[in-house]
Amino acid sequence: MSTTNSLFPAPYGLAQWARWSTLMLLALGVAGYAFWLVLTSTRPDFAASLFARHPVGALLHMVCSPVALVVGALQVNRAIRTRHLLLHRWLGRLYVLAVVLGGTSGLSMALEAQGGPVSAWGFGLAAMLWLCSTGAGFLAMRRGDRTAHRDWMLRSYALTMAAITLRLYIPASLMAGLPFEDAYRAIAWLSWVPNLLVAEWLIRRLHRIPPA
Ligand code: HEM
């Protein structure tokens, strides 16, 4: 089977719908949490201090990044994508805009992230890669390179999913009894590096190149 066929492979099976539904539920849960932080008047101290230090950045980040998270989940669903190509194009533009706003505001907040320079570098690098991979995916589509577009957008969404993995690792680390600051520094990296490695593995599989 050729590489091009991997863009249009076999029908979406039950297992794929189950995996995608899990992803969508997690995306909606994290997006709902972010909107709750923006809307509620009884904000946790941490979020309140973020809003105090970065009034514009925190608002932009917490409104736009959840849009990228939920829209991106719709975009990675092959069944939706192939049946509704026009919708995919418009949602793609919305995703890019949401990442540009969510990523630049995330980058500005990263400099003062909890946990000091280790967290700042972790979140800062993630934000830069998020912006670059999304930009590369957008430009690939503009020049008609669908394979490169798919690969870069998979990397981009792997980074978007850091929002989910981070919020799974934080309670897990607290339950394991790890000191919050140390765990947070590690999670600033662990929330996205393994995601990107999985994306690279998936991309290689799609290209049918055996992993090195
Ligand atoms: C690679 C992508 C992302 C980066 C680099 C990033 C970066 C950051 C940074 C630096 C902070 C402040 C943390 C601190 O001060 O300790 C933050 C907070 C936050 N981010 Fe992101 N972010 C990303 C993606 C997302 C996405 C997709 C969402 C979607 C819901 C999101 C939602 C939030 C929320 C709700 C907060 C407030 C603090 C909290 O409750 O965790 N972020 N982000």
Side-chain angles (χ1 to χ4, degrees), residues 62-206:
M62 290 189 211
V63 169
C64 298
S65 310
V67 172
L69 190 60
V70 174
V71 167
L74 287 169
Q75 295 293 79
V76 296
N77 183 309
R78 181 166 40 82
I80 298 175
R81 192 171 66 231
T82 48
R83 263 177 239 158
H84 307 282
L85 203 53
L86 191 63
L87 179 72
H88 180 74
R89 286 192 186 129
W90 280 103
L91 288 181
R93 289 173 189 135
L94 180 61
Y95 177 82
V96 171
L97 182 66
V99 172
V100 167
L101 297 175
T104 43
S105 51
L107 184 58
S108 72
M109 292 198 299
L111 304 174
E112 289 179 34
Q114 291 184 95
V118 176
S119 308
W121 276 101
F123 287 128
L125 193 58
M128 284 189 269
L129 292 173
W130 199 28
L131 290 166
C132 291
S133 55
T134 309
F138 177 72
L139 292 176
M141 196 65 250
R142 301 289 293 180
R143 63 171 189 272
D145 188 342
R146 299 169 72 180
T147 306
H149 168 70
R150 178 201 62 196
D151 294 352
W152 280 113
M153 285 309 190
L154 277 175
R155 292 181 185 111
S156 165
Y157 196 63
L159 289 159
T160 310
M161 282 178 66
I164 297 175
T165 40
L166 178 130
R167 285 163 189 89
L168 294 175
Y169 296 158
I170 287 180
S173 69
L174 291 176
M175 281 190 274
L178 299 174
F180 178 77
E181 283 271 310
D182 291 344
Y184 196 73
R185 283 190 197 101
I187 290 169
W189 293 87
L190 288 174
S191 58
W192 61 273
V193 175
N195 294 11
L196 264 190
L197 293 176
V198 172
E200 276 322 309
W201 170 79
L202 194 64
I203 289 165
R204 277 165 185 249
R205 211 176 64 146
L206 288 169

